[in-house]
Structures are given as structure tokens and as C-alpha cells.
Amino acid sequence: MGKTADLIAVQKAIIDTLKREGKTQKEISERIGCSQSAVSRHLSGKSVGRKKCGKKRCTTRRGDRTLRKIVVKDRFQTLGDLRKQWTESGVETSRATVHRRVLLNQKQRQKSLTWATEKQHWTVAQWSKVLFSDESKFCMSFGNQGARVWRKTGEKEMPKYLKSSVKYPQSVMVWGAMSAAGVGPLCFIKGRVNAASYQEILEHFMLPSAE
């Protein structure tokens, strides 16, 4: 990876952050796994390719319309299926982009952008103090969470967007957390999660993970 154009957005952001923290170009290049000349060219602004003008949209409006047609054709497709068909139509993109185009409305996109903008200048030290946690249910049969369907507001009860399912499939609820230092232990939750049980999870799993 010798050219600045080869650096992805995340690497460029890390270069800027480490430079503000006083790291040398050699230390930065070793940290992100690229050549020292690539770091130098990025910091000096001698980028290869288009001039900086904000992040370029990775899909066109026409491409987005193609994705909507693919979704309408079969509302029960997975993100992977959608991405494969979108790629076959000539649009090279990632699962994350498919997720944003299909799942997020304008209000959610704006909230995500605001959150990212507020933290775009955070240092590595600041991010190292953040712990992300979540819980999820995994079904032991018939696929995780059952069939998913892409539908608009008002289409909830339409028969063509419904599928039969097992009412009480065997499943397990799991809580986990991760940070810059790694992942914490998994907590297997029995029963429903309420305020009291969640406080126990935080006390016995989140706090030890943070420490």
C-alpha cells in the first residue's frame, strides 16, 4: 500500500489523530500498516486522485433506484442477497452501504451523521475509554430471529409480507461488550431482561470488563 489513494477513510482519520498526539510518521505507518511515504503524502495534502471535497457518495441515485427494485422483487431477502444482486447489476458496494440505503430513514441518517461529526476529532485515548455493549437473542432452530421482511409503513398486515413461524422456538439471550482493549465475557441471560436483571449484568459483567 504505497499510494495515498490506497488509504481508506479510517486509516486517514487514524493518521490525523496520531499526528495530533505527536506520533512520528514512522510510528504512524507501523501502527496502521502502510508505507511511511503514504503517511507523508497524506499529511502534506499531496493526495493521489481527486481533490478533497468531502466524502464522495459511493452510489448514484440511479443505483439506489435499482436497489429499491431488487428489494420490491422479494421482500424476504437478506442483506447479503441484496448486496449480491446489486453488485451483479453493476454497483460495487459494501453490506454497510446496503444497510444504510435500505434500513435507515432520513431522520436516522441525520442522527448518525450528527453523532459521527461530534466525535470526528476524538483521540485514540478518548476512544480507548469507550465500552460498547449490546444483547441479542439467538434462536436454536429455524434461523436466528425468524424471517425478516422489507416493508413500508402501512404494509404490516398485508398477507404477501407475512410468513408462518414457530411461536416459541428454543432460543438464548446473550449480552456482550467490547472496547479498544478487546472483548469482554459473554453473559447468558435467563428469562426476560428488566431493570433489576440489567443492573446485575452491568455489575457482574460490564464493570469487570471495563476494569
Side-chain angles (χ1 to χ4, degrees), residues 38-163:
V39 174
S40 176
R41 279 193 289 269
H42 171 69
L43 294 175
S44 63
K46 297 178 180 179
S47 299
V48 179
R50 68 176 186 272
K51 296 180 179 179
K52 290 185 177 181
C53 55
K55 184 177 180 180
K56 183 180 179 180
R57 183 182 173 86
C58 60
T59 63
T60 63
R61 301 298 180 185
R62 183 177 180 180
D64 292 348
R65 289 195 296 272
T66 300
L67 176 60
R68 285 194 289 271
K69 291 178 182 178
I70 293 172
V71 172
V72 171
K73 187 168 58 176
D74 182 359
R75 298 298 187 96
F76 293 93
Q77 298 179 86
T78 64
L79 278 176
D81 295 332
L82 295 177
R83 180 181 178 238
K84 180 180 178 181
Q85 293 191 55
W86 207 16
T87 300
E88 291 173 350
S89 72
V91 181
E92 289 286 346
T93 188
S94 64
R95 284 172 59 93
T97 299
V98 177
H99 182 278
R100 287 195 301 271
R101 296 290 185 271
V102 178
L103 288 180
L104 301 184
N105 57 39
Q106 186 58 41
K107 183 178 180 180
Q108 292 168 327
R109 290 180 185 139
Q110 186 57 51
K111 288 180 67 175
S112 296
L113 178 61
T114 300
W115 186 90
T117 302
E118 290 173 349
K119 296 168 178 60
Q120 65 177 325
H121 297 304
W122 272 29
T123 64
V124 173
Q126 286 176 298
W127 281 114
S128 68
K129 297 179 181 179
V130 177
L131 185 74
F132 295 95
S133 69
D134 198 9
E135 61 276 342
S136 184
K137 183 175 74 171
F138 296 90
C139 295
M140 309 305 290
S141 58
F142 304 103
N144 290 333
Q145 311 293 344
R148 298 297 184 91
V149 60
W150 309 101
R151 63 190 177 202
K152 298 179 181 179
T153 303
E155 296 180 340
K156 183 177 181 180
E157 304 300 332
M158 296 179 69
K160 63 180 179 180
Y161 301 138
L162 300 177
K163 274 193 175 182

Side-chain angles (χ1 to χ4, degrees), residues 18-43:
L18 293 177
K19 182 62 177 177
R20 286 196 297 271
E21 293 181 354
K23 303 295 184 182
T24 65
Q25 292 183 8
K26 182 179 180 180
E27 291 172 330
I28 295 173
S29 65
E30 292 176 348
R31 178 73 174 271
I32 68 172
C34 74
S35 67
Q36 188 172 335
S37 59
V39 174
S40 176
R41 279 193 289 269
H42 171 69
L43 294 175

